[in-house]
């Protein structure tokens, strides 16, 4: 509707838009006329109000009677300056909860609406001025109580949701802790099993102590020394040395045989020096062996005289002492006999 035509319908602070077959409310055009604090939209074809209708907060009186409204906007309570509201002859069943915010509302008519039973009982008949005023007071109180109950239920639901969330978190933590404990127990069990296996291996496979050999040092005391474990190594070196000599002998024998059969310049050139060197080597080996045997015999004789000889001397001395005592014991009876005689 053009703004000019709206101004034509304005009389003082009342704007009359009744009987215009309106199926929607020109909210923007109405907002441009803040002077119009009383709005008459009765006897039109309105089935609903725009969501921005509560933005017309300058309105003090609204007449919406004899339309086909089935509901009001949820934010209808934003019309906090509203004092007079006529909803006669619509199709309203419920009022929005925000309706309780209309604290300045003094007059309300809800006749001829298919209201819910509780709301219809609270609203009353609205047959006169006093009943409409009472209707406004009781409906506001009823919706205020409904809002409080809804808030209580909302808070209760939020509390239950928080408790449920905490319960789920605690359950999740308990499951995680259970998994951690199971892993820990499994780890400890594996460790214990490993330790038991190691202990059994230690029992059935004791560590071998080095073999010792007891020797006497000639003072009546015995001493222990580790048994020689280098025999195998010594035998290995001896085998290598023997093999070397065997190979060396084979080579010399082969050269000798060849040179006996073929006395040529090559044999004369290499055999003679090799034969001479071999004879010298063998002679040196014989001399060194004899000298080594001699030194070994002298060393053994020295050890024998040092340890075994001392023991033999002590044994002889002990035998002499025993013999002397025996002689003394034998002479004593003879003396006694002569003394007796």
């Amino acid at each position: 509707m053009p703004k000019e035509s709206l101004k034509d319908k304005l009389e003082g602070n009342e704007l009359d838009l009744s009987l215009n077959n309106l199926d929607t409310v020109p909210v923007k055009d109405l907002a441009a006329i803040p002077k119009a604090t009383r709005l008459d939209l009765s006897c039109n074809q309105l089935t609903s109000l725009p969501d921005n209708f509560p933005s017309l907060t300058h309105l003090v009186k609204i007449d919406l009677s004899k339309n086909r409204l089935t509901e009001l906007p949820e934010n209808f309570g934003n019309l906090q300056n509203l004092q007079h509201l006529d909803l006669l002859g619509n199709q309203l069943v419920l009022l929005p909860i925000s309706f309780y915010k209309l604290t300045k509302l003094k007059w309300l008519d809800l006749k001829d609406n298919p209201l819910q039973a509780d709301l219809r009982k609270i609203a009353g008949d609205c047959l006169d001025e006093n009943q409409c005023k009472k209707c406004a007071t009781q409906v506001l109180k009823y919706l205020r109580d409904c809002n409080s109950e809804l808030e209580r239920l909302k808070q209760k639901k939020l509390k239950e949701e928080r408790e449920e969330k905490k319960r789920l978190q605690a359950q999740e933590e308990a499951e995680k802790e259970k998994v951690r404990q199971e892993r820990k127990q499994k780890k400890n069990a594996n460790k214990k099993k490993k330790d038991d296996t190691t202990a059994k291996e230690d029992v059935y496979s004791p560590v071998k102590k080095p073999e010792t050999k007891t020797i006497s040092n000639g003072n009546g005391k015995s001493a222990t020394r580790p048994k020689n474990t280098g025999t195998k190594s010594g035998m290995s070196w001896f085998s290598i040395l023997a093999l070397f000599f065997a190979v060396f002998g084979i080579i010399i024998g082969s050269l000798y045989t060849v040179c006996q059969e073929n006395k040529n310049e090559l044999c004369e050139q290499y055999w003679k020096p090799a034969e001479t060197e071999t004879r010298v080597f063998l002679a040196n080996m014989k001399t060194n062996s004899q000298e080594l045997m001699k030194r070994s015999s002298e060393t053994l004789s020295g050890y024998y005289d040092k340890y075994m000889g001392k023991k033999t001397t002590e044994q002889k001395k002990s035998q002499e002492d025993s013999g002397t005592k025996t002689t003394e014991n034998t002479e004593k009876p003879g003396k006694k006999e002569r003394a007796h005689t």
Side-chain angles (χ1 to χ4, degrees):
M1 181 177 293
K3 183 177 179 180
E4 292 76 9
S5 60
L6 286 178
K7 287 184 177 181
D8 293 339
K9 296 179 179 294
L10 181 62
E11 294 181 5
N13 60 351
E14 184 173 353
L15 181 61
D16 187 1
L17 297 178
S18 61
L19 301 170
N20 281 290
N21 291 321
L22 296 176
D23 57 3
T24 184
V25 180
V27 176
K28 291 183 179 181
D29 295 334
L30 293 175
I33 312 175
K35 184 180 178 180
T37 58
R38 296 173 177 270
L39 178 62
D40 187 356
L41 291 170
S42 62
C43 301
N44 282 290
Q45 304 297 320
L46 299 175
T47 57
S48 64
L49 298 177
D51 292 337
N52 60 346
F53 183 82
S55 64
L56 302 175
T57 55
H58 61 281
L59 295 177
V60 174
K61 179 181 178 181
I62 302 175
D63 188 353
L64 291 167
S65 61
K66 297 183 180 180
N67 280 280
R68 293 184 293 175
L69 295 173
T70 58
E71 61 180 359
L72 298 178
E74 289 295 328
N75 57 346
F76 194 82
N78 291 344
L79 297 169
Q80 295 183 4
N81 290 317
L82 189 62
Q83 299 177 15
H84 184 109
L85 178 61
D86 192 348
L87 294 171
L88 169 70
N90 283 280
Q91 301 297 318
L92 296 173
V93 178
L94 292 172
L95 296 176
I97 292 295
S98 65
F99 202 89
Y100 79 94
K101 295 181 181 179
L102 302 176
T103 55
K104 294 182 180 181
L105 187 65
K106 304 299 181 183
W107 195 95
L108 176 63
D109 189 355
L110 290 173
K111 288 193 304 294
D112 298 333
N113 280 282
L115 298 174
Q116 190 181 33
D118 293 341
L119 183 58
R120 183 172 61 252
K121 183 177 179 181
I122 294 296
D125 296 331
C126 296
L127 297 176
D128 55 29
E129 188 77 14
N130 290 330
Q131 288 184 358
C132 288
K133 290 180 179 180
K134 185 179 179 180
C135 175
T137 303
Q138 291 181 346
V139 168
L140 289 179
K141 183 179 181 300
Y142 170 74
L143 291 174
R144 191 180 300 113
D145 294 339
C146 290
N147 180 71
S148 299
E149 182 66 17
L150 288 175
E151 286 294 328
R152 188 185 67 81
L153 293 176
K154 183 179 179 181
Q155 293 299 324
K156 181 179 179 181
K157 184 177 180 181
L158 290 174
K159 184 179 179 181
E160 290 176 352
E161 289 178 354
R162 286 194 295 267
E163 290 177 354
E164 181 66 15
K165 186 177 180 180
K166 289 181 180 179
R167 187 185 68 80
L168 293 176
Q169 289 178 350
Q171 184 177 357
E172 185 177 357
E173 287 295 329
E175 291 177 356
K176 289 181 179 179
E177 182 64 23
K178 183 179 179 181
V179 172
R180 284 195 292 267
Q181 290 296 331
E182 289 178 353
R183 289 179 179 175
K184 186 176 180 180
Q185 291 177 0
K186 187 176 180 180
K187 185 177 180 180
N188 292 335
N190 292 334
K191 184 178 179 181
K192 185 177 179 182
K193 185 177 179 181
K194 185 177 180 180
D195 293 342
D196 293 341
T197 304
T198 304
K200 288 181 181 179
E201 290 178 355
D202 292 340
V203 170
Y204 293 107
S205 302
V207 178
K208 292 185 178 180
K209 297 182 178 180
E211 297 181 3
T212 59
K213 183 178 180 181
T214 304
I215 60 173
S216 177
N217 56 10
N219 295 326
K221 297 181 180 180
S222 60
T224 59
R225 65 179 183 181
K227 189 175 179 181
N228 185 16
T229 57
T231 305
K232 185 175 181 181
S233 178
M235 292 300 292
S236 299
W237 283 108
F238 180 77
S239 301
I240 293 172
L241 186 62
L243 180 62
F244 171 75
F245 281 116
V247 173
F248 186 73
I250 291 171
I251 294 172
I252 296 300
S254 299
L255 288 173
Y256 178 78
T257 303
V258 171
C259 290
Q260 288 294 326
E261 293 177 358
N262 302 311
K263 293 182 178 181
N264 50 26
E265 294 181 358
L266 182 62
C267 290
E268 291 292 333
Q269 183 179 356
Y270 292 102
W271 168 250
K272 293 295 183 180
E275 183 180 10
T276 303
E277 293 293 334
T278 302
R279 291 181 184 280
V280 172
F281 175 75
L282 293 175
N284 291 335
M285 286 290 294
K286 183 176 181 182
T287 302
N288 292 335
S289 298
Q290 290 176 356
E291 185 178 355
L292 181 61
M293 289 295 293
K294 183 178 180 181
R295 289 183 180 179
S296 299
S297 298
E298 291 176 356
T299 303
L300 290 173
S301 297
Y303 276 111
Y304 183 80
D305 292 340
K306 184 176 180 180
Y307 295 104
M308 301 303 294
K310 186 176 180 180
K311 184 176 180 181
T312 304
T313 304
E314 289 177 355
Q315 289 177 354
K316 286 181 179 181
K317 186 176 180 180
S318 177
Q319 290 176 1
E320 288 176 359
D321 293 339
S322 298
T324 304
K325 289 181 181 181
T326 304
T327 304
E328 290 176 355
N329 293 333
T330 304
E331 290 178 354
K332 286 181 180 180
K335 291 179 180 182
K336 288 181 181 182
E337 292 176 359
R338 284 194 298 271
H340 180 70
T341 302

